[in-house]
Amino acid sequence: MKKHYLIGLALLAFTTFILSCSKSDEEEYVQVSPVSVNLATVPYAKLSDYHFFDGDMKQQNPSLDVLPYEPASSLFTDYAHKKRFVWLPKNTKATYDGDGKVLNLPVGAALVKTFYYDNVQNVTPVGATRIIETRIMIRKSSGWIFADYVWNTEQTEAYLDLNGSNTSVDFKDENNILHNVPSYRIPNEVQCIICHKSKQMVGNVEVDTYIPIGIKPQNLNFNFNYGTESKNQLTKWIEKGYLESGFSFPSAENTTINYNDTSKPIELRARSYVDVNCAHCHQVDRHCDYRPMRFAFSETGNMSNGLTNMGVCVDTQDMQDFPPALSKIVKPGNVNRSMMYYRLNTTNENYRMPLHGRTVIHEEGVALIEQWINSLQPCP
């Protein structure tokens, strides 16, 4: 009897030990993100080296701690769709610097943007999705760097290429209408710099620094579908530990909208359109700051100078060899006398705007600007 009692006690002690260890292991186990951004060796030769995506890379399923995001309005890039992601090193956060200013991301942060087309007709199999490129910005201690990864035909890998190139895309839209982009432009590094540079004075010397464009509170202040939930993106970033709290979210007046939303006022749609498509160059200390337009959303809403900043009734400074009728940047009620409309509505590289990012005309965007111009009151 005593022998059986001792065996029972031993079994009980052993079982308790096993259960205790199992519980302890479960409590201590913490998933670790597979993402690798070694600042000493980036940019890597291949996109897969970062481990931003889980499983089949072309499916663009973000890995642990890679957070998808989306601005209210999207920069037009020859009708390409985009998927955007942000990753921050553990125990680091972005900081707020103003509704219309880019969030200040920490050293080691990475912004990832993939450009793709659905229902592509000039690939095998016909109607498949084709990913063209994935652009990455990485913040080193010395500043932001660029890396562009061009996808192979098999859609299994993307390779670092900052030399720039062109590719042809035939695709059908959601209405089954065929479109052709004969020369989609994958940018070179110089073209990346033009759109992302910001001039700063260091001592008495002007230097160019590079900054992101879209990650501003004004652009993220709306609900995004994360798959398991729909939540305000600023709230999500804070809950994720990617953004410091303690600031007031942008008001409705200081929040951009989706310029495709026809239920919104035409003025707000036009302001949101030029903010995302033009303001990165047309503001102080940017590439086109020598021009009078100031297209940032925060600079176009003021009744006293908002329209002036949009170019309304403003004389064209440099006619070059443009038609003489285009003497105003925006001539209310007359697109044929508006320089802005002319430059948005051409594919001629010498005249088109924006300078980079498009090779075909954004028909819907041009129609929006035409509607806005026709809504304006005559010049005094």
Side-chain angles (χ1 to χ4, degrees):
M1 183 72 179
K2 183 176 181 181
K3 180 179 179 180
H4 290 302
Y5 175 74
L6 291 175
I7 292 173
L9 281 177
L11 286 172
L12 178 62
F14 179 75
T15 302
T16 302
F17 172 76
I18 293 297
L19 290 174
S20 174
C21 288
S22 298
K23 184 177 181 181
S24 176
D25 289 345
E26 287 177 2
E27 289 177 347
E28 293 177 3
Y29 176 71
V30 177
Q31 274 190 296
V32 177
S33 174
V35 173
S36 169
V37 180
N38 184 337
L39 297 183
T41 56
V42 293
Y44 301 141
K46 305 189 304 296
L47 179 61
S48 60
D49 293 337
Y50 295 92
H51 302 288
F52 286 131
F53 303 107
D54 185 34
D56 188 356
M57 195 165 62
K58 70 182 179 184
Q59 300 301 324
Q60 298 282 285
N61 294 318
S63 296
L64 180 67
D65 293 339
V66 177
L67 188 66
Y69 74 93
E70 183 178 301
S73 282
S74 178
L75 173 70
F76 176 74
T77 313
D78 286 355
Y79 291 103
H81 300 298
K82 298 165 188 175
K83 291 184 178 179
R84 304 167 182 84
F85 308 90
V86 59
W87 178 84
L88 269 58
K90 195 171 182 63
N91 299 321
T92 66
K93 294 182 180 183
T95 57
Y96 169 87
D97 191 33
D99 294 345
K101 293 185 178 181
V102 172
L103 291 172
N104 184 24
L105 269 59
V107 171
L111 294 168
V112 183
K113 182 159 65 170
T114 293
F115 296 69
Y116 68 99
Y117 291 86
D118 288 328
N119 204 358
V120 179
Q121 301 301 296
N122 58 337
V123 296
T124 302
V126 173
T129 294
R130 180 189 173 192
I131 303 177
I132 306 293
E133 57 174 325
T134 296
R135 303 177 191 175
I136 301 176
M137 290 187 71
I138 299 169
R139 185 167 189 182
K140 291 189 169 186
S141 57
S142 57
W144 289 93
I145 66 166
F146 306 102
D148 199 358
Y149 293 84
V150 180
W151 284 68
N152 61 12
T153 302
E154 297 77 19
Q155 302 282 272
T156 56
E157 185 59 271
Y159 298 92
L160 179 65
D161 186 347
L162 282 169
N163 295 318
S165 58
N166 296 83
T167 187
S168 175
V169 183
D170 296 332
F171 70 97
K172 288 185 177 180
D173 63 20
E174 60 276 8
N175 296 315
N176 210 37
I177 297 173
L178 180 64
H179 298 266
N180 171 244
V181 180
S183 191
Y184 175 98
R185 179 65 179 171
I186 299 169
N188 59 40
E189 188 169 20
V190 171
Q191 291 169 327
C192 294
I193 288 171
I194 287 173
C195 291
H196 286 272
K197 72 179 180 181
S198 175
K199 293 178 283 188
Q200 295 183 0
M201 295 300 296
V202 178
N204 293 319
V205 180
E206 183 179 273
V207 297
D208 289 340
T209 59
Y210 311 137
I211 59 173
I213 292 174
I215 53 166
K216 303 170 185 174
Q218 67 175 28
N219 299 337
L220 302 175
N221 189 29
F222 70 99
N223 282 9
F224 177 78
N225 185 359
Y226 291 95
T228 56
E229 63 178 348
S230 179
K231 181 167 287 187
N232 182 287
Q233 292 181 95
L234 296 173
T235 300
K236 182 72 172 182
W237 282 46
I238 292 170
E239 291 179 354
K240 178 70 176 173
Y242 272 18
L243 177 61
E244 287 187 351
S245 58
F247 67 93
S248 298
F249 286 11
S251 65
E253 292 76 15
N254 293 335
T255 300
T256 61
I257 64 170
N258 182 350
Y259 58 70
N260 291 312
D261 187 350
T262 57
S263 70
K264 301 295 185 182
I266 188 65
E267 177 228 2
L268 285 179
R269 294 174 61 205
R271 289 175 56 209
S272 295
Y273 185 84
V274 298
D275 176 85
V276 73
N277 283 283
C278 313
H280 47 273
C281 282
H282 287 281
Q283 58 180 297
V284 174
D285 293 329
R286 303 297 173 84
H287 185 71
C288 296
D289 65 355
Y290 58 93
R291 298 299 188 194
M293 297 84 75
R294 294 292 178 262
F295 285 134
F297 192 76
S298 60
E299 296 185 86
T300 57
N302 187 298
M303 290 302 293
S304 63
N305 62 2
L307 289 178
T308 301
N309 285 345
M310 290 276 281
V312 177
C313 300
V314 175
D315 291 337
T316 301
Q317 290 181 321
D318 184 2
M319 290 301 295
Q320 301 177 44
D321 56 351
F322 290 105
L326 303 173
S327 59
K328 298 291 185 185
I329 296 170
V330 173
K331 177 73 171 178
N334 196 331
V335 295
N336 295 320
R337 291 183 173 273
S338 298
M339 181 66 79
M340 178 196 286
Y341 181 86
Y342 180 88
R343 302 192 76 170
L344 290 172
N345 198 35
T346 182
T347 57
N348 187 317
E349 285 191 74
N350 295 317
Y351 305 135
R352 75 183 180 210
M353 284 289 169
L355 289 170
H356 304 296
R358 76 168 181 92
T359 63
V360 301
I361 294 172
H362 186 196
E363 302 290 349
E364 297 80 3
V366 169
L368 166 61
I369 295 302
E370 178 176 7
Q371 185 182 352
W372 170 68
I373 290 174
N374 288 334
S375 74
L376 298 170
Q377 297 299 310
C379 297

